[in-house]
Amino acid sequence: MHTIRVWDLPTRLFHWLLAACVIGLIVTGSIGGNWMNWHLRLGYAVLTLLLFRLVWGFIGGHWSRFTRFIYAPSSLAAYLRGRGRPEHSVGHSPLGALSVFALLLILAAQVGTGLMSDDEIAFFGPLVRFVSGETVSLATGYHKEIGKLIVFVLVGLHLLAIAYYKWVKKQGLVRPMMVGDKQLPVPVPSTRDTAGTRLLALVVLGLCTAAVSWLVSLGNAF
């Protein structure tokens, strides 16, 4: 067996911070009241993390790059028939990649509509002033109902997939995302996870934070 560094530290931190923020958003959104202040802050945090992952998907570690888990339909079909290639068990499998992209897109839609939502009581997104009332109504409806339901479903499916891989396929997905390494029967390229790459990730995160702060400030500019 070969010990391979699959997930670099920035990718692992992104994963767990995103999970914590999503849980926090669900809790604060359900409680309401003054907790909506934290709901807004967590929403901005998720937007920052999503922007970071978008950039990191192009310049990050080997197995974190989008090019490593964008599969052709034929690869997905072969994987579902049990004929997947060895590298499919290293990073994101073809089926896992679909789950990742779906979750990122749905969270992006949820955050985007949240920026244009208005509860007509005390809280509203920073972009409400820049769109029509009809757009605000549609965004609010999606954010509070359809989008919220889809997030619940995708999170549930994600947890079921982890359980399935653990108990049926005998492949633990949680530990590698915590420590970064996997024990694999074949040698494959390791992800570069050095002080330099971590510093680069910190710079990217800082730029993403600045971009989100600027976006939020637009709502306070009038």
Side-chain angles (χ1 to χ4, degrees), residues 34-202:
N34 289 330
W35 282 98
M36 290 302 295
N37 286 311
W38 279 104
H39 189 77
L40 292 173
R41 292 170 187 145
L42 289 170
Y44 302 148
V46 168
L47 178 57
T48 302
L49 289 171
L50 292 177
L51 287 176
F52 168 82
R53 188 63 181 92
L54 177 63
V55 177
W56 202 243
F58 293 98
I59 66 173
H62 182 81
W63 297 103
S64 298
R65 298 192 179 193
F66 296 138
T67 53
R68 303 310 309 171
F69 57 96
I70 295 179
Y71 297 99
S74 58
S75 294
L76 176 61
Y79 179 81
L80 293 175
R81 290 196 300 266
R83 300 175 182 174
R85 298 192 299 270
E87 60 266 27
H88 290 168
S89 63
V90 182
H92 294 303
S93 68
L95 193 59
L98 286 181
S99 174
V100 169
F101 285 124
L103 193 56
L104 293 178
L105 287 173
I106 289 301
L107 288 177
Q110 191 68 355
V111 171
T113 53
L115 295 173
M116 297 180 287
S117 293
D118 186 352
D119 68 357
E120 298 182 347
I121 300 176
F123 300 96
F124 54 88
L127 300 185
V128 165
R129 294 182 172 130
F130 302 99
V131 296
S132 66
E134 181 180 1
T135 300
V136 170
S137 179
L138 290 172
T140 304
Y142 176 88
H143 186 82
K144 295 176 65 176
E145 298 175 8
I146 300 174
K148 183 178 179 180
L149 178 61
I150 295 176
V151 169
F152 278 137
V153 171
L154 286 180
V155 170
L157 289 175
H158 189 69
L159 294 176
L160 287 174
I162 292 174
Y164 172 78
Y165 272 84
K166 174 67 175 179
W167 301 110
V168 178
K169 303 195 72 172
K170 306 302 180 182
Q171 297 179 22
L173 300 181
V174 175
R175 188 177 185 279
M177 190 55 76
M178 295 181 68
V179 302
D181 297 334
K182 273 189 176 184
Q183 295 291 321
L184 298 168
V186 293
V188 294
S190 290
T191 283
R192 187 179 182 186
D193 189 17
T194 64
T197 59
R198 295 173 183 182
L199 179 60
L200 175 62
L202 192 61

